[in-house]
Amino acid sequence: MWSAEDVVRASVRRQGEGLSVAQVADKAAEAQRRERETRQQLNFLGDRGPYDSDPEDLAEQWVARHAEWRRIADLMDAQDWPVYSPERDVQGSTWARERDAQREGALARRAAWQRERQDARDELKAQVWLPADVSRRLRAIAARTGFSPEQVLAQLADRVRMDNDGALTVDAFTPR
């Protein structure tokens, strides 16, 4: 759902809270070093086991982490902040709100999809083979009422009652 940049931005904002300019510079330098190391590892890839992490994903994360620490360091220098505060970081806060909105939208879409699946499980779709004379009567009723034969049968089924002895009955009704 989120890109490597989105994940890293959220992580760096949490980790950076309360760090001084020097500490943020150290984090940026560490990220730069790790970025360089993971790029070098990409050049020497051998056979990987099934449980090894994807080195390309790791390299992408360190690139994003380095860029975000650099952005924060530049922001602190430009704004002359002694420590980093995520609340004062306008761009970071905007990205965080966008991520939250994206997450809420994804959760809402997922919930709607689950409701649709549940409704689909509760529905009954039946194919009914009727004798020719019954089929002709059903089509005639449907034509007179302006409904499809399936709609007439659905309304009929909706009004069926079962007596104590198991017999099915339907009171007279007009399809609507």
Side-chain angles (χ1 to χ4, degrees), residues 97-112:
R97 281 191 301 276
E98 288 171 358
R99 276 191 310 277
D100 290 344
Q102 185 181 24
R103 180 177 181 274
E104 291 301 318
L107 290 174
R109 287 189 302 276
R110 170 80 177 171

Side-chain angles (χ1 to χ4, degrees), residues 2 13 24 36 38 48 52 56 74 79 92 100 114 120-121 125-126 149 152 163 172:
W2 289 348
R13 278 175 53 89
V24 169
R36 188 174 47 254
T38 55
R48 293 184 331 180
D52 292 341
E56 291 177 10
D74 293 344
Q79 300 292 326
D100 290 344
Q114 286 177 324
R121 272 188 246 131
K125 296 179 183 180
V152 172
D163 293 339

Side-chain angles (χ1 to χ4, degrees), residues 11 14 34 73 83 85:
S11 173
R14 283 190 308 272
R34 299 289 290 267
V83 295
S85 173

Side-chain angles (χ1 to χ4, degrees), residues 15-24 27 69 76 82-85:
Q15 292 172 5
E17 186 169 9
L19 295 183
S20 68
V21 173
Q23 290 170 315
V24 169
K27 293 284 191 181
W69 281 118
M76 290 176 72
V83 295
Y84 177 68
S85 173

Side-chain angles (χ1 to χ4, degrees), residues 23-77:
Q23 290 170 315
V24 169
D26 289 344
K27 293 284 191 181
E30 178 189 0
Q32 183 178 25
R33 179 181 56 80
R34 299 289 290 267
E35 176 185 352
R36 188 174 47 254
E37 289 172 357
T38 55
R39 284 181 195 228
Q40 289 171 350
Q41 287 176 352
L42 286 176
N43 295 332
F44 300 107
L45 286 179
D47 289 335
R48 293 184 331 180
Y51 302 109
D52 292 341
S53 62
D54 185 359
E56 291 177 10
D57 285 345
L58 185 60
E60 188 177 322
Q61 288 176 18
W62 280 111
V63 168
R65 190 172 296 272
H66 178 222
E68 185 62 9
W69 281 118
R70 276 291 352 126
R71 185 191 72 79
I72 289 174
D74 293 344
L75 175 66
M76 290 176 72
D77 285 342

